[in-house]
């Protein structure tokens, strides 16, 4: 009871990115051998990143393919702090801020917009070949100003990944804590005020968020304000569409599956 049932097709984002019902769900049809192989690839990817002597966790943010967990991108700042395109919600990343890129060439996709025709030179995951991002100029161009990361394509935590869902009849579930009704998504919230900075920490029977706003004399206004601003950036919505009342987070105008995916992508 309390679970929202969805078909697998509803949990696929554009270009085949799999939706994620929870951080621990696994495809029931996958064999233990297949799961072990995916885990081996993930650990190898993490090991390769860690072996780079020039890298320091204090100087970059590492991101992993949402679909398979392979290391894909190291960038100077958190992606959720960067702006999104209004057309497709892709995150706009200055190419000069990328430290390491682990992509392979995809296709050149032509998209018709109201303002004209747009060309996207796609970059794919090296391991599973899911589209991760694109740039507006040729792959071999000498000058590339921006890289556009597709919505929910990369995650901070390599263990927060999912697999492709092959059976069309397969049904998936949102976590029990998600409640969606009349355009509003509600979920229980645990707000910790003693963090080093804003961070989405965990999602189980409630969403755990940290902020750096000490609660003085029981006054939570500063902490709630910081949490609202941080969650609005993570979810790609206006702060006026995010409300925190007591121990409940309410998000307006964003489907529950998008709320889930975007939270999981920035979970540390």
């Amino acid at each position: 009871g309390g679970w929202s049932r969805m078909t697998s097709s509803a949990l696929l984002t554009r270009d085949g990115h799999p939706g994620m019902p929870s951080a621990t769900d696994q495809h029931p049809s996958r064999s233990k051998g297949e799961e072990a192989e995916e885990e081996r690839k993930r650990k190898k990817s993490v090991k390769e990143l860690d072996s780079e002597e020039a890298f320091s966790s204090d100087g970059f943010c590492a991101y992993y393919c949402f679909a398979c967990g392979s290391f894909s991108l190291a960038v100077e700042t958190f992606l959720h702090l960067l702006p999104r395109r209004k057309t497709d919600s892709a995150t706009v990343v200055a190419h000069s801020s990328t430290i390491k890129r682990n992509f392979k060439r995809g296709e050149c996709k032509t998209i018709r917009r109201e303002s004209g025709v747009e060309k996207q030179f796609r970059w794919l995951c090296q391991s599973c070949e899911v589209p991760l991002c694109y740039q507006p100029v040729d792959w071999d161009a000498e000058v590339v100003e921006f890289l556009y990361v597709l919505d929910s394509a990369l995650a901070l935590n390599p263990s927060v990944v999912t697999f492709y869902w092959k059976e069309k009849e397969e049904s998936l579930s949102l976590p029990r804590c998600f409640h969606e009704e009349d355009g509003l998504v509600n979920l229980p919230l645990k707000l910790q005020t003693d963090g080093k900075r804003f961070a989405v920490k965990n999602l189980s029977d409630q969403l755990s968020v940290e902020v750096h706003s000490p609660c003085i004399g029981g006054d939570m206004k500063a902490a709630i304000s910081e949490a609202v601003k941080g969650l609005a950036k993570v979810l790609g919505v206006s702060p006026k569409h995010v409300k925190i009342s007591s121990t409940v987070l309410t998000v307006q105008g964003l489907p529950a599956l998008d709320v889930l995916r975007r939270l999981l992508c920035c979970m540390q």
Side-chain angles (χ1 to χ4, degrees):
W3 288 59
S4 299
R5 305 302 297 180
M6 297 286 178
T7 63
S8 61
S9 59
L11 280 168
L12 294 177
T13 62
R14 289 175 293 277
D15 299 306
H17 292 299
M20 185 177 294
S22 75
T24 56
D25 282 341
Q26 294 185 357
H27 196 298
S29 67
R30 292 179 64 87
S31 68
K32 290 184 178 180
E34 288 175 318
E35 292 173 1
E37 177 63 14
E38 290 290 349
E39 180 66 9
R40 185 192 67 78
K41 288 181 180 179
R42 185 190 69 78
K43 289 182 177 179
K44 179 182 178 182
S45 176
V46 174
K47 184 177 180 181
E48 288 174 350
L49 175 63
D50 291 341
S51 67
E52 295 287 342
E53 295 180 359
F55 283 91
S56 167
S57 60
D58 293 331
F60 73 97
C61 300
Y63 280 87
Y64 303 81
C65 174
F66 190 90
C68 72
S70 296
F71 167 71
S72 300
L73 177 69
V75 66
E76 292 177 353
T77 189
F78 291 113
L79 294 181
H80 66 261
L81 298 179
L82 301 176
R84 290 176 180 266
R85 292 191 71 189
K86 292 182 179 180
T87 52
D88 59 4
S89 294
T91 300
V92 184
V93 182
H95 198 271
S96 59
S97 71
T98 61
I99 300 170
K100 185 175 177 66
R101 298 173 295 279
N102 188 36
F103 308 138
K104 65 186 300 182
R105 289 189 184 190
E107 63 176 343
C108 176
K109 194 167 185 177
T110 301
I111 298 178
R112 294 189 179 278
R113 305 284 191 200
E114 291 184 2
S115 58
V117 176
E118 172 182 313
K119 282 192 174 182
Q120 297 181 357
F121 295 84
R122 296 294 181 96
W123 291 105
L124 313 179
C125 172
Q126 281 278 12
S127 297
C128 70
E129 299 187 348
V130 164
L132 298 179
C133 54
Y134 60 87
Q135 59 191 49
V137 294
D138 189 86
W139 299 282
D140 295 323
E142 293 184 4
V143 178
V144 180
E145 290 189 82
F146 297 104
L147 192 67
Y148 299 90
V149 177
L150 293 169
D151 186 19
S152 302
L154 298 177
L156 268 175
N157 189 335
S159 65
V160 183
V161 296
T162 190
F163 304 107
Y164 286 102
W165 297 79
K166 298 178 181 178
E167 287 79 18
K168 292 183 179 180
E169 68 275 12
E170 186 68 42
S171 62
L172 302 175
S173 302
L174 285 168
R176 292 180 184 273
C177 60
F178 273 71
H179 300 279
E180 184 174 22
E181 187 176 359
D182 298 329
L184 300 176
V185 177
N186 295 296
L187 62 156
L189 175 69
K190 179 181 179 181
L191 184 57
Q192 298 172 273
T193 61
D194 57 351
K196 293 182 179 180
R197 59 176 179 268
F198 169 84
V200 178
K201 301 300 292 184
N202 186 36
L203 177 62
S204 53
D205 56 344
Q206 62 183 353
L207 176 68
S208 295
V209 172
E210 283 186 357
V211 295
H212 182 62
S213 294
C215 180
I216 301 175
D219 187 355
M220 293 286 289
K221 288 183 179 179
I224 290 175
S225 176
E226 183 182 347
V228 166
K229 291 177 182 178
L231 287 166
K233 288 182 178 180
V234 165
L235 298 173
V237 299
S238 168
K240 67 181 181 181
H241 292 152
V242 178
K243 293 184 179 180
I244 295 176
S245 176
S246 184
T247 57
V248 177
L249 167 67
T250 300
V251 181
Q252 180 182 3
L254 194 65
L257 291 173
D258 286 340
V259 172
L260 177 62
R261 278 192 288 263
R262 292 179 183 182
L263 287 174
L264 292 174
C265 280
C266 74
M267 196 171 295
Q268 299 177 35

